[in-house]
Amino acid sequence: MSKAIPLLSGPMETVSAFFPDIGQAIGLLAVLAAAAALAVLGAALGGTTWRETDLAAGWGLGAALLTLVGGTFGWPLTGLGAGLAVAVAGGAWWLGRRSEPPVAPGAVLAVALVLPLLVVVAAMVPSQWDEFSQWLWNAAYLVEHDRVPRQGLAAHSGSFPAYPFGAALLPYLASRLAGGLIEQAGALGNVMLLASFGLVMARIMADSQGLSRPGPALVAAGLLLATLAGPSFVAKVALTAYADAGTAVLLALGAFLGWASIEALAAGRDGQARTLAWKAGLVLAGMVAFKQSNLVLLVLLGVAIAVAFLQETRIGRGTALGHLILIFALPVLVLMLWRSHVATHLPGAEFTVRPFANWSLDLLPDILASMGHVAINKGGHFGSMAVVAGLGARALWRRRPGPERLVAIAALVTLGYQAFLLFAYVAAFDRYEAAAAASYWRYNLHVGALLTLALVTWVAYRRHWRGRAWIGWLAVALVVAGPALLAPRIRFDREPPHPFLRHVAQQAAPALGAGDRLAVVDLTDSGQTWLAMRWSLRGSRARVDGLFNLADADAAMVAARLAGYTHLIVRRATPAVESAVGIPMPAEQATLLQRSHEGWIILKRWNGDKP
């Protein structure tokens, strides 16, 4: 059982935070196997150019098939898994016939270097709000029901059942291999995508120096820029089941492949250009299958790449249109298939724009002020954005090809996304969240990888890259030792109250059965206690509801809300809760109660936030 530890730690606490248990280790191996399979699929069906993007391309193809098989046709996903296994075996044979390695050059080295981070992440348990409210439930639904949600099937327990399921593909495949749900599969999948992103940057740096492939120093530098040293890397997002890090990587790699297709076409390498365009389409098909709002990123990228084509005089308009179709046809098809499925089976189960009369236009000054406050406090990311915007404007004005064209694409997408976020706060968010520009920093992470990739490409190909040998080996040492040394800090899942809530739920589970109704009561909490316990109690077959955000409720209101429940978990009692239940409960204790003929009785108590 995980235990809360101080953030500053000694050697024993570092060891404790670093190693997974046997079940988590098996989960890590299953994720590595599933990722390797998708990479083989990406190489076999996406083309053998820029092999470093194979995982993203294979994931995108798998997500497209998941949408078709599970969404449009409503078939069991076991058939999809079997079909992918056959395709991977055939793809490996085909690659061998062409004397191509099954995985990209440098991929094994990248996984070896990032393995310490993978081990730390494998040892973690879920702890963040949106993991409990949405993303874990997506993977759990696929594993437990072997289908995508639709009418006539079991209800989805997430906040937005109509959110796409592409991010759950690798967790589903890995969980099938492991024989049960791997809670950390989503987080581990994010790390694998980030590793492939780092490998792409390493290849760019190697190409700029005339090297045939990146060595350990450059691979480590790329991995650091993609993870711990990246200006847009946030552990509590990237090392969770959230779909934000995956979105960022897929957007960046899709944009990069689209840009590379333009450069190849302008240079007369038509066959390579078509392969790059097709591979970009596979990657972007995965991106639109990750999050509902990624449609906006696809549109912005489409506009940016169309502008780049229009500025390239060496490419005819008909040829440019054909390549645009090749890049965007599959992502658009995936979007259309999913939208049709949602309209038929899951109407109203997603985030929507409010009627115009309810838009928060009067809050525009407050929204802009909040966005500006975030930008000032996140200087690394927004500083990169300012540099890319300036370089991109110059590139557009001068119609410059090469790396500057990629910077221009990144600038158009990034600035367009800021306009979209402003619109979303006005038109979709409630007034409180709009005024505070809720999660503005997190949403900006969606374009963070693109910003980093554009700057690395610009610097590398303009020969500004001046790496010394000792700096490269320092990067190797940091990427290998950093996760181990920082494990107690990376292990944010060990911060109170996360281990305590999981411990209480696990100990309460045996008292619950089918037909029981449990209310998790914490009137002063915003809902995190209920979300965490509901996830940990998902195997109890009891219905788990929450009573929270009611600090001003009186005893009569609390008693009325508790009618019909068979069990309670009271994390922090208030006088109103004590009066409604009829039992004194110290505020620093959590209490499990059961309803009897005489009233509520105590089954178990826990002290404070310590298991």
Side-chain angles (χ1 to χ4, degrees):
M1 176 61 59
S2 298
K3 295 184 178 180
I5 63 171
L7 289 181
L8 296 177
S9 60
M12 293 307 297
E13 287 171 342
T14 296
V15 171
S16 170
F18 188 74
F19 288 106
D21 61 31
I22 184 65
Q24 292 169 324
I26 292 173
L28 172 57
L29 292 176
V31 167
L32 291 174
L38 291 176
V40 170
L41 192 67
L45 299 178
T48 55
T49 185
W50 276 97
R51 292 288 308 276
E52 295 79 6
T53 63
D54 286 350
L55 173 58
W59 200 324
L61 179 59
L65 293 173
L66 175 69
T67 303
L68 178 67
V69 172
T72 303
F73 295 146
W75 293 342
L77 299 180
T78 301
L80 172 64
L84 289 177
V86 172
V88 169
W93 174 82
W94 182 81
L95 290 171
R97 286 289 302 270
R98 293 181 51 125
S99 299
E100 287 278 349
V103 294
V108 174
L109 174 60
V111 171
L113 289 174
V114 84
L115 187 60
L117 181 58
L118 287 166
V119 169
V120 173
V121 175
M124 297 170 70
V125 295
S127 63
Q128 300 304 297
W129 182 291
D130 281 6
E131 288 188 288
F132 295 134
S133 67
Q134 181 63 39
W135 300 112
L136 288 168
W137 292 108
N138 273 16
Y141 194 97
L142 298 187
V143 173
E144 293 168 4
H145 301 286
D146 201 42
R147 293 175 184 267
V148 171
R150 64 194 295 118
Q151 288 182 358
L153 298 182
H156 186 292
S157 298
S159 299
F160 298 105
Y163 271 18
F165 280 74
L169 173 67
L170 186 142
Y172 169 77
L173 296 175
S175 296
R176 283 291 183 231
L177 289 174
L181 179 66
I182 304 170
E183 287 186 312
Q184 285 301 100
L188 291 167
N190 283 340
V191 176
M192 294 301 293
L193 282 173
L194 287 167
S196 68
F197 173 55
L199 192 58
V200 168
M201 291 191 286
R203 162 81 180 276
I204 290 169
M205 291 184 279
D207 284 356
S208 72
Q209 298 176 38
L211 302 175
S212 59
R213 66 173 61 186
L218 288 180
V219 172
L223 291 174
L224 279 178
L225 287 171
T227 57
L228 300 178
S232 302
F233 177 80
V234 178
K236 287 189 176 182
V237 175
L239 306 184
T240 68
Y242 286 15
D244 303 274
T247 289
V249 170
L250 295 175
L251 171 66
L253 296 185
F256 178 80
L257 291 168
W259 163 76
S261 174
I262 298 174
E263 298 302 314
L265 197 59
R269 302 190 301 271
D270 293 5
Q272 183 187 43
R274 285 191 294 271
T275 300
L276 287 165
W278 166 244
K279 203 163 194 177
L282 290 175
V283 172
L284 294 174
M287 185 192 75
V288 298
F290 264 51
K291 287 174 68 75
Q292 176 192 358
S293 60
N294 289 359
L295 163 63
V296 176
L297 292 171
L298 184 73
V299 171
L300 291 172
L301 181 59
V303 171
I305 290 181
V307 169
F309 268 120
L310 287 172
Q311 289 199 319
E312 178 51 74
T313 58
R314 292 172 291 177
I315 301 175
R317 295 294 179 259
T319 303
L321 178 61
H323 275 71
L324 280 171
I325 293 173
L326 192 56
I327 294 172
F328 293 101
L330 182 60
V332 170
L333 176 62
V334 170
L335 272 171
M336 292 173 62
L337 291 175
W338 185 251
R339 296 310 310 164
S340 174
H341 175 73
V342 169
T344 303
H345 296 282
L346 303 167
E350 57 187 347
F351 204 54
T352 58
V353 175
R354 294 177 297 159
F356 180 75
N358 296 330
W359 286 18
S360 302
L361 292 170
D362 60 309
L363 294 179
L364 265 174
D366 296 322
I367 296 170
L368 290 170
S370 295
M371 293 170 71
H373 179 74
V374 172
I376 291 172
N377 283 281
K378 303 297 181 182
H381 173 87
F382 287 95
S384 299
M385 187 185 300
V387 171
V388 167
L391 293 174
R394 186 180 69 172
L396 287 170
W397 178 258
R398 297 181 178 181
R399 296 174 175 249
R400 300 293 294 271
E404 288 173 295
R405 178 149 46 207
L406 177 60
V407 174
I409 290 171
L412 289 172
V413 172
T414 301
L415 296 179
Y417 200 53
Q418 307 312 302
F420 162 71
L421 290 176
L422 178 61
F423 166 79
Y425 288 127
V426 171
F429 284 76
D430 65 43
R431 291 181 63 82
Y432 173 80
E433 291 181 322
S439 298
Y440 179 58
W441 165 229
R442 191 180 121 201
Y443 298 144
N444 257 281
L445 301 180
H446 299 163
V447 296
L450 178 57
L451 291 172
T452 301
L453 182 61
L455 287 174
V456 166
T457 305
W458 185 83
V459 170
Y461 284 107
R462 286 180 62 88
R463 309 295 181 184
H464 291 302
W465 180 261
R466 297 289 185 268
R468 297 182 179 273
W470 69 268
I471 297 177
W473 290 111
L474 176 61
V476 172
L478 289 175
V479 78
V480 171
L485 296 176
L486 297 174
R489 293 182 180 273
I490 295 174
R491 288 293 306 273
F492 47 82
D493 62 312
R494 294 159 68 99
E495 300 172 1
H498 305 310
F500 175 71
L501 298 180
R502 191 176 178 91
H503 175 75
V504 169
Q506 289 175 341
Q507 290 209 339
L512 302 171
D516 287 335
R517 295 187 62 197
L518 168 71
V520 178
V521 182
D522 192 347
L523 302 188
T524 60
D525 185 63
S526 61
Q528 174 90 7
T529 298
W530 164 61
L531 289 171
M533 289 193 176
R534 183 179 65 139
W535 170 255
S536 296
L537 289 166
R538 68 191 183 283
S540 69
R541 295 185 296 169
R543 173 176 169 176
V544 182
D545 297 322
L547 208 62
F548 53 89
N549 246 349
L550 293 169
D552 297 329
D554 58 22
M557 178 184 292
V558 174
R561 293 289 187 93
L562 297 182
Y565 287 100
T566 61
H567 295 77
L568 306 178
I569 293 179
V570 180
R571 182 187 169 201
R572 283 184 292 242
T574 64
V577 173
E578 290 181 308
S579 178
V581 173
I583 297 175
M585 290 175 285
E588 67 275 7
Q589 288 187 338
T591 308
L592 172 64
L593 303 102
Q594 181 177 3
R595 189 188 293 275
S596 69
H597 295 298
E598 291 78 26
W600 293 102
I601 58 174
I602 294 176
L603 297 183
K604 192 171 180 62
R605 276 179 167 162
W606 300 266
N607 290 321
D609 278 344
K610 296 181 180 179

